[in-house]
């Protein structure tokens, strides 16, 4: 019989739900919370240090409500098991470090793309300082109007988008839990709704990781695939290390 939801997992579910509701409450007042609590590329004028943590509690709103539904379902299913196994202190450490790991790997991959864009833009005679200034978002989440010389440069437009697009979601932290679950219980069987065939975690999770890497490399969809991989990497390293000294309590 399944145990009740452990305290840290339960509180994380509640906090995510409250943040999700808050986005709609503040939107009625003309405030886009993703500008304040989502996270941006560290060089962006919209980036604030606290966003490294707060972005994990923000999710896309309607019509992408499946974003928070899938994340919270995975948090409940895998987080509960990982918390019962490692205990609350190690669980919360894994969760937040995986989220930070997602932020770091995602922005590391962005760094190379953005530096290439900046080189091209400079050859076009466009001021990076002006572009930086026009990448600022107001509290409603809207860009200030860019001058015409930016609009004639697809690289300039792309850089503005990179500076002004927030990353939101608990997916990096969730992937840390998924990988930790697979390390702890490799022979447990999992399955997807659209692929209802039970597969052992030690095979299922690596396939998911390979798919994430491929989709990240091909830049498939409006999804931070490398944030998932960064969180998964932290989850793998921590769970492997902790499992060596793991003991079961009665």
């Amino acid at each position: 019989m399944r145990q009740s939801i452990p305290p840290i997992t339960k509180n994380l579910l509640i906090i995510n739900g409250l943040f999700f509701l808050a986005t709609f409450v503040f939107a009625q007042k003309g405030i886009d919370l993703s500008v304040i609590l989502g996270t941006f590329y560290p060089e962006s004028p919209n980036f604030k240090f606290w966003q490294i943590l707060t972005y994990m509690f923000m999710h896309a709103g309607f019509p992408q409500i499946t974003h928070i539904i899938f994340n919270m379902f995975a948090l409940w299913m895998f987080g509960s098991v990982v918390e019962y196994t490692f205990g609350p202190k190690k669980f919360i450490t894994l969760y937040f470090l995986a989220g930070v790991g997602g932020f770091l790997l995602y922005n590391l991959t962005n760094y190379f793309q953005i530096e290439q864009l900046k080189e091209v833009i400079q050859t076009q005679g466009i001021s990076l300082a002006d572009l930086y200034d026009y990448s600022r978002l107001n509290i409603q989440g809207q860009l200030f109007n860019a001058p015409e010389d930016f609009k004639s440069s697809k690289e300039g437009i792309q850089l503005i988008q990179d500076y002004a697009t927030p990353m939101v979601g608990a997916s990096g932290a969730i992937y840390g839990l998924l990988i930790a679950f697979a390390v702890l219980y490799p022979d447990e069987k999992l399955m997807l709704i659209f692929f209802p065939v039970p597969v052992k975690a030690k095979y299922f999770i690596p396939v998911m990781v390979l798919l994430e890497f491929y989709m990240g490399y091909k830049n498939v969809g409006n999804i931070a695939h490398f944030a998932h991989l960064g969180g998964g990497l932290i989850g793998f390293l921590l769970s492997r290390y902790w499992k060596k000294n793991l003991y079961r309590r009665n």
Side-chain angles (χ1 to χ4, degrees):
M1 189 173 187
R2 189 179 180 89
Q3 294 173 290
S4 61
I5 304 174
I8 302 300
T9 300
K10 182 186 294 184
N11 286 327
L12 287 173
L13 289 168
I14 293 171
I15 293 170
N16 274 278
L18 290 175
F19 270 66
F20 188 69
L21 291 175
T23 59
F24 296 100
V25 173
F26 278 82
Q28 299 304 311
K29 301 180 182 296
I31 299 173
D32 185 351
L33 275 187
S34 66
V35 176
I36 304 169
L37 302 179
T39 190
F40 295 84
Y41 184 68
E43 192 179 57
S44 167
N46 304 299
F47 175 74
K48 303 294 185 294
F49 69 90
W50 61 77
Q51 296 170 350
I52 298 174
L53 294 179
T54 57
Y55 92 93
M56 303 178 206
F57 299 102
M58 298 295 296
H59 287 85
F62 295 105
Q64 298 94 4
I65 192 172
T66 52
H67 186 208
I68 188 170
I69 290 175
F70 285 140
N71 275 349
M72 295 304 99
F73 177 76
L75 173 57
W76 165 71
M77 175 172 284
F78 298 103
S80 296
V81 176
V82 174
E83 183 176 351
Y84 275 124
T85 304
F86 281 140
K89 290 183 180 179
K90 287 183 178 178
F91 173 77
I92 196 67
T93 299
L94 187 155
Y95 186 88
F96 279 109
L97 287 183
V100 172
F103 168 85
L104 292 175
L105 186 59
Y106 175 72
N107 284 293
L108 178 62
T109 57
N110 279 349
Y111 170 81
F112 298 104
Q113 175 186 335
I114 287 175
E115 289 303 306
Q116 289 179 342
L117 284 175
K118 287 162 67 176
E119 289 180 8
V120 174
I121 290 167
Q122 287 179 310
T123 64
Q124 297 171 343
I126 297 175
S127 168
L128 289 176
D130 288 345
L131 187 149
Y132 176 90
D133 191 51
Y134 277 92
S135 298
R136 296 180 188 277
L137 293 170
N138 59 28
I139 198 67
Q140 289 83 34
Q142 299 170 337
L143 276 172
F144 293 100
N145 292 326
E148 290 299 324
D149 56 348
F150 288 170
K151 296 179 181 179
S152 64
S153 166
K154 64 178 182 180
E155 290 83 10
I157 293 172
Q158 180 61 55
L159 189 55
I160 288 176
Q161 290 177 343
D162 289 340
Y163 281 165
T165 303
M167 179 174 71
V168 297
S171 300
I174 298 299
Y175 258 76
L177 300 181
L178 287 173
I179 301 299
F181 178 88
V183 170
L184 290 167
Y185 304 104
D187 293 321
E188 283 291 319
K189 292 184 178 180
L190 306 171
M191 62 182 178
L192 295 173
I193 296 174
F194 52 83
F195 185 69
V197 178
V199 179
K200 288 184 177 181
K202 62 184 177 183
Y203 304 126
F204 185 91
I205 300 299
V207 170
M208 288 186 62
V209 170
L210 289 174
L211 286 174
E212 283 290 345
F213 182 82
Y214 174 79
M215 290 188 290
Y217 178 75
K218 292 293 186 179
N219 198 25
V220 177
N222 188 29
I223 299 172
H225 297 288
F226 283 103
H228 300 173
L229 294 173
L233 177 61
I234 296 299
F236 175 77
L237 294 174
L238 286 178
S239 58
R240 285 272 296 187
Y241 177 73
W242 289 338
K243 187 179 179 181
K244 293 178 182 178
N245 301 313
L246 185 66
Y247 62 93
R248 297 192 179 280
R249 293 165 288 184
N250 293 328

